[in-house]
Amino acid sequence: MSASSLTHKLAFIARFVVLGLAVAFVVSLFWPGTGPALRARLGWGAAPQAVAPAASTAPPARASATSSGPVSYANAVAKAAPSVVNIYANKLVTEQPTLGGPLGRIFGNIPAGPAFTRREQSLGSGVIVSSSGYVLTNNHVITGAQNIQVLLYDGRVASAKVVGSDTATDLAVLKLDVGDLPAIQIATTKPRVGDVVLAIGNPLGIGQTVTMGIVSAISRQLSSANPEDFIQTDAAINFGNSGGALVNAYGRLVGINTALLGHASGAEGIGFAIPVDTAQRVMREIIATGHVTRSWMGITYADVPVPANSGLPAAAHGVVVTGVYPGGPAAKVGIERGDVLLDVDAHAIVSPAALYRRVSVKKPGSKVKLDGVRNGQPFHYTLTLVTRPTMSQAGARQ
């Protein structure tokens, strides 16, 4: 075969190959399943099996809210927020300019001009606890105020009247006369350590704000001079939150926010609230009489000391008398400094705060029975309580 004839044959075959590839491309483009099916029909290989989908790598569905806790506290906030108000207490403060600089350091506070009066506004929060208009807030928010304005959740502004206040618990009761108001729901069970709580108030005057935390401790005392107990929480409480609501995860009131530790001490996440049962007791008495009356034994007391390195556990109960006021109820029956009180009215005294609370809620004129020991010898006294005097009258707190 000549070279020319071979060349023509190869060119003819190449044209058919190119034409076949073109036809195959068009068929696969418009009928993509044709190729595998044809190969299977001609016995050129089994049709490919469907590939099972790979196991899902998506995370499992979120557990139900009932088993893992709520994913939102919006319902609790919606229930409680309308009962929380912003309080603006306006005060007139008189100031006297004094000589400054080196002369001021030498001669002291010498007046350097006429006294002037300026307006000062104290910011705080409050909680509507009665549809008739009673509002609980902190005493320090409204102390010295000439007038008090309350901003309601719905935007209305109302003037408030002070019904009364109590410095021991830092509570005050205000009255609004603006018709029916949304009273907050009160929790029927006491909070436990670890419970979720929400603090609602007006921090720094920026408007109503909600923060979340847990109950860190209960029955806390802020100082030895104030045996009232408080709820400790790590929910953020800032200036302006004072008097606001501490509510549980269901939007029910468990406390009135009152104080925070931080800034000065360097501590964070330590705030305090007045338990709602204490707040209700104080409020009822203020509404009834305008003030809170507490009974007094005329003594000071502290935990029973246990000598260091004695190997003995802390005293199970009881308090030691650290001071007796002359002419007071305790002095009249013969109680002395150093006596250890073990029981009051047949109830074990578990702490100084517990004794204070048990005695203070009794009415003046009531009698209490005290059991204790002096120099190892038991004693029993019955004394008559009197109204607790102020610090200036008694010289110190009970």
Side-chain angles (χ1 to χ4, degrees), residues 19-117:
L19 180 60
L21 291 174
V23 171
F25 172 76
V26 172
V27 170
S28 65
L29 182 64
F30 290 98
W31 298 279
T34 303
L38 182 61
R39 286 196 300 271
R41 182 181 294 274
L42 296 176
W44 293 351
Q49 301 295 318
V51 179
S56 173
T57 58
R62 183 186 296 271
S64 67
T66 55
S67 62
S68 62
V71 295
S72 173
Y73 295 98
N75 289 339
V77 174
K79 181 183 294 184
S83 303
V84 181
V85 300
N86 298 348
I87 294 178
Y88 303 89
N90 301 303
K91 309 174 184 179
L92 295 178
V93 180
T94 301
E95 293 186 351
Q96 174 66 63
T98 57
L99 193 65
L103 292 177
R105 290 193 292 271
I106 295 173
F107 296 105
N109 295 326
I110 298 177
F116 65 94
T117 300

Side-chain angles (χ1 to χ4, degrees), residues 199 203 211 233-239 241-242 246 257-260 271-273:
T211 56
T233 177
D234 66 346
I237 298 175
N238 294 291
F239 295 105
N241 274 104
S242 295
L246 188 72
N257 300 323
T258 187
L260 69 155
F272 298 94

Side-chain angles (χ1 to χ4, degrees), residues 42 94 97 182 247 265 331 336 377:
L42 296 176
T94 301
V247 303
S265 63
E336 301 176 0
Q377 299 299 313

Side-chain angles (χ1 to χ4, degrees), residues 267-354:
E268 293 183 2
I270 303 179
F272 298 94
I274 305 155
V276 69
D277 53 351
T278 299
Q280 285 184 299
R281 173 175 53 83
V282 169
M283 181 185 69
R284 285 193 295 266
E285 193 163 351
I286 287 176
I287 292 174
T289 67
H291 62 277
V292 178
T293 300
R294 292 180 175 85
S295 291
W296 189 61
M297 295 190 295
I299 56 175
T300 58
Y301 39 82
D303 286 312
V304 178
V306 176
N309 303 320
S310 65
L312 298 174
H317 68 280
V319 296
V320 61
V321 177
T322 57
V324 180
Y325 289 98
K332 290 179 179 178
V333 299
I335 292 178
E336 301 176 0
R337 182 177 180 180
D339 287 349
V340 175
L341 306 180
L342 299 175
D343 301 278
V344 56
D345 290 337
H347 292 278
I349 299 171
V350 297
S351 68

